[in-house]
Amino acid sequence: MTVIAFVGNKGGVGKTTLSINFSVGLSSHATVALVDADPQGSALQWHQMSDTENRLAVYDAESRLSQQIKKLQDDYDHVVIDCPPYVQSTQTAAVLQLADIALIPVLPSPIDLWATVHIEKVAEEARKTNPNLDVILVINQLELRTTFSRLMREALAEINFTVAKATIRRRAVYRNSAVEGKSVYDMGKRGAAAAEELNELVKEVTV
């Protein structure tokens, strides 16, 4: 079983939206459980309002998260954890102790780039006891027309983490699908381009 954590460097980076849609994409060829450890509980709310036959199981995070993950490992190929929006939280630190992969969505903005430095410190601390932790930065909500977006990959190269080749564009279909209790995979042609990007990220992370 692989444990994949979505870790936010600050609020508003699209962490939960990405974790939901990534999990749905992954569930097309593997058994996946999404654990909602974000105090806002948005993944659970999305699952409760969904009117589609999702392939995805969503669980509320328990206080003893490590024990919960051990219970899930017999039933699922992958467990995805939507962490709290602040990397300094004790629960995020606990998740990084047991995760195989940490995916960190980063918006193409100077503020988000600066905030990533805090994650670097926390991740390096986690690697002291979890040396196999693989940390991958994911450029999220990319807008190709902006200058900083074009320079983002070059800027992230200064940070000692892998940067995913797959990038996630800013698309209205992410908001629209969430409002309907769906993923982009449920949106037909409107979600096709977004689904293709997500599939590339899933393939890159799990293969």
Side-chain angles (χ1 to χ4, degrees):
M1 183 193 72
T2 304
V3 178
I4 303 171
F6 277 82
V7 180
N9 55 347
K10 67 180 190 64
V13 298
K15 172 183 61 63
T16 296
T17 298
L18 188 55
S19 66
I20 289 171
N21 285 280
F22 176 93
S23 297
V24 173
L26 181 57
S27 69
S28 66
H29 55 81
T31 54
V32 180
L34 173 60
V35 177
D36 190 349
D38 189 323
Q40 297 180 24
S42 298
L44 280 168
Q45 292 174 16
W46 167 82
H47 190 256
Q48 290 166 2
M49 69 180 291
S50 176
D51 60 359
T52 63
E53 294 185 3
N54 290 302
R55 299 177 296 273
L56 188 64
V58 182
Y59 296 88
D60 192 4
E62 299 175 2
S63 57
R64 297 182 178 181
L65 188 56
S66 60
Q67 293 185 13
Q68 182 182 14
I69 301 305
K70 288 179 180 178
K71 292 177 183 177
L72 293 172
Q73 68 182 1
D74 292 333
D75 298 321
Y76 297 96
D77 299 318
H78 305 282
V79 173
V80 178
I81 305 173
D82 183 25
C83 292
Y86 309 107
V87 70
Q88 294 87 355
S89 73
T90 55
Q91 195 159 35
T92 297
V95 169
L96 291 177
Q97 293 295 323
L98 55 88
D100 299 294
I101 302 168
L103 295 180
I104 304 171
V106 183
L107 300 187
S109 75
I111 292 175
D112 280 82
L113 186 62
W114 299 331
T116 305
V117 174
H118 296 293
I119 291 184
E120 188 171 15
K121 295 177 181 178
V122 172
E124 289 304 325
E125 185 66 26
R127 279 176 167 167
K128 291 179 181 179
T129 52
N130 184 13
N132 294 322
L133 175 66
D134 190 8
V135 181
I136 303 174
L137 303 177
V138 181
I139 300 174
N140 196 29
Q141 300 182 24
L142 181 71
E143 297 182 82
L144 296 179
R145 291 173 293 180
T146 65
T147 300
F148 196 83
S149 287
R150 292 194 295 270
L151 297 174
M152 188 66 179
R153 191 171 293 277
E154 181 178 333
L156 288 176
E158 300 299 319
I159 299 173
N160 190 31
F161 289 146
T162 300
V163 181
K165 294 178 182 178
T167 56
I168 307 300
R169 297 268 299 275
R170 180 186 290 275
R171 300 182 188 276
V173 71
Y174 286 104
R175 295 189 299 274
N176 296 338
S177 60
V179 168
E180 298 179 30
K182 298 178 179 179
S183 72
V184 297
Y185 291 90
D186 303 312
M187 301 296 283
K189 290 183 179 179
R190 288 184 293 165
E196 184 175 348
E197 292 171 352
L198 287 161
N199 287 338
E200 288 301 314
L201 180 62
V202 167
K203 185 186 302 183
E204 185 174 348
V205 170
T206 60
V207 172

